[in-house]
Amino acid sequence: MNANHHESSDLSRTRITLRGPAELADALPFVLGFHPTDSVVLVALHGEHGRFGGRVRLGIPRSPREWTSTADHLAECLVEGGERSGTRPDGIVVFLCQDPAPGENGRRVMERLRPFAQRLRTACGTLDIPVYEALCISDGLFFSYCCPDARCCPPDGTPLALSGTSVMAATAAYAGVQVRGTLRDMERRFQPSGGPAEEEQRAALDASAAAIVPRILEDAEGDGRAEVRETTLRLARAVLRRFADRTGEAKPTAEAGPTGPSSGRTGGSTAPRSGRGSFAGTAASDAADDALVETGEAAALILGLQDRATRDRAAEWMEGWEGKAALRLWRVLARRCVAPYQEHAAAPLTLAGWTAWSTGDEPTARVALGLALDIDPEYVFARLLHQACNEGLDPESLRSCLRTERDSRIASNEAVSGTSPRVRTRVARPQSSRQPLRKPGRQTGGAERRSSAGVRPGGPAAGKPGSGSPRRGGQRGSRSGR
């Protein structure tokens, strides 16, 4: 197999030569930022040396009847994404990652998924893109669907390298890049944990839905809707301060109201990558955050964020101490969306994805946005952000759009109140090597179609409190305006 060179911003543009399927299999968690579980991953290769480029990941469909359409869709997404950025792939590497089911071993998983691997190779070939390698990773082993040499890739599989012993692991450690555990671990941080506390949270959501949803459903200029918006943002700002106080984050000494400008803005187009090394993905840290938000507060915030204008205002907390605290808050709210309110998690999940992407945490962003789309495939904000993140665009264009909207709103409020506008200085931002986010950013910065239909009245509040029944996420009518 040809040598492949992996050059990415995550590794400070360090070039790493990967020789053979073993080093490719070892590199996958560092390419994604986590260990994929039950996933099909396609990675684009560019140039003579096979430089890694864009990548797409999806859960492996359970039904083989879906494999052909899934293979076609993934190949088209990867190739079209590269063409939009002006870098059509010259080749593709395919990874199928799945743990054995009870009674299975790694080789049986590999053989069961072989038809899917072949469909992926065919789909890429139809687009005139060769698949240089297709690997199955299961049960601590890797298997090659392409390499015929049993000395290199024996039919019973080859053990993966011990953690931290490969060239890729050493280079990543030197660059401060950290693998975040498994995909399931990352997803679990955004999902309800179960237990007796869920009943109390469900009751609080019932009460808040009955009180808040009718007011949100007023026309766009209704006083009730505007009052809910300001109350929601004021409460969210108070919770952000609690998070910052607990960790000792520096906060600005003066602010212009609940959504005023923050002196915590970062000076570059993306947040420092060094923050990834301090990733605290533990149950203890999440439990401590949960303890800072009461059930009634969480319910009011979850229901309030179903209004698009409120959600877009909350997206302005994207940098500095606000961004760090906001990501923790959105995680808490996503975990509080207990049955039958699972669908309401699309808003906090999308905000978590946006905040993570804005602060330089792309693996968390992809996971959060993927979960949001699992809940509501038609959630426009999540779809645009997910596409832009996967295509490697720069979030600075959207950040700039949100700053402009915030500053214009504050100036307008000051003009109405008769106060003199504050003088604001901006730090010069270095040019990023990434492609600017243009059209998607402009659409997601609050310019989506706004109407009362954009409010999510699902759950028990649609009838009387407590009358709803759990529903599976995503199984409902289209809300393309989201």
Side-chain angles (χ1 to χ4, degrees), residues 118-166:
Q118 184 58 41
R119 285 173 172 80
L120 288 163
R121 296 174 68 183
T122 302
C124 295
T126 301
L127 299 175
D128 295 326
I129 308 292
V131 171
Y132 291 153
E133 182 59 274
L135 298 178
C136 177
I137 300 176
S138 179
D139 200 22
L141 305 170
F142 75 84
F143 305 81
S144 173
Y145 292 112
C146 298
C147 180
D149 191 347
R151 295 170 300 176
C152 173
C153 301
D156 289 330
T158 304
L160 295 170
L162 294 176
S163 178
T165 61
S166 66

Side-chain angles (χ1 to χ4, degrees), residues 2 7 93 112 294 415 431 465:
N2 294 335
E7 183 178 1
V93 175
R112 176 167 51 81
E294 298 177 359
Q431 294 293 326

Side-chain angles (χ1 to χ4, degrees), residues 354-438:
W354 158 240
T355 306
W357 184 38
S358 178
T359 55
D361 187 355
E362 292 183 9
T364 297
R366 291 190 181 96
V367 170
L369 293 171
L371 290 173
L373 291 173
D374 286 343
I375 292 172
D376 187 352
E378 301 301 322
Y379 203 83
V380 174
F381 195 14
R383 288 176 61 186
L384 293 173
L385 289 173
H386 195 252
Q387 175 184 329
C389 183
N390 283 334
E391 292 180 6
L393 303 182
D394 190 340
E396 176 55 27
S397 295
L398 180 50
R399 283 199 296 257
S400 178
C401 178
L402 290 173
R403 292 188 205 105
T404 300
E405 291 187 2
R406 176 177 60 189
D407 292 346
S408 298
R409 184 181 64 253
I410 293 171
S412 176
N413 292 340
E414 288 171 342
V416 171
S417 62
T419 59
S420 59
R422 293 174 174 83
V423 177
R424 300 179 180 85
T425 60
R426 296 186 182 275
V427 180
R429 299 176 183 273
Q431 294 293 326
S432 170
S433 60
R434 288 172 145 189
Q435 180 180 348
L437 176 64
R438 291 190 177 92

Side-chain angles (χ1 to χ4, degrees), residues 2 35 41 85 188 201 250 302 340 358 441 468 472 475:
N2 294 335
H35 292 275
V41 181
S85 61
R188 196 174 295 119
Q201 186 62 65
I302 290 168
S358 178
R472 296 179 62 86
Q475 295 182 350

Side-chain angles (χ1 to χ4, degrees), residues 69-83:
S69 60
T70 300
D72 293 340
H73 174 68
L74 288 173
E76 290 171 2
C77 284
L78 186 61
V79 174
E80 290 176 1
E83 289 176 340

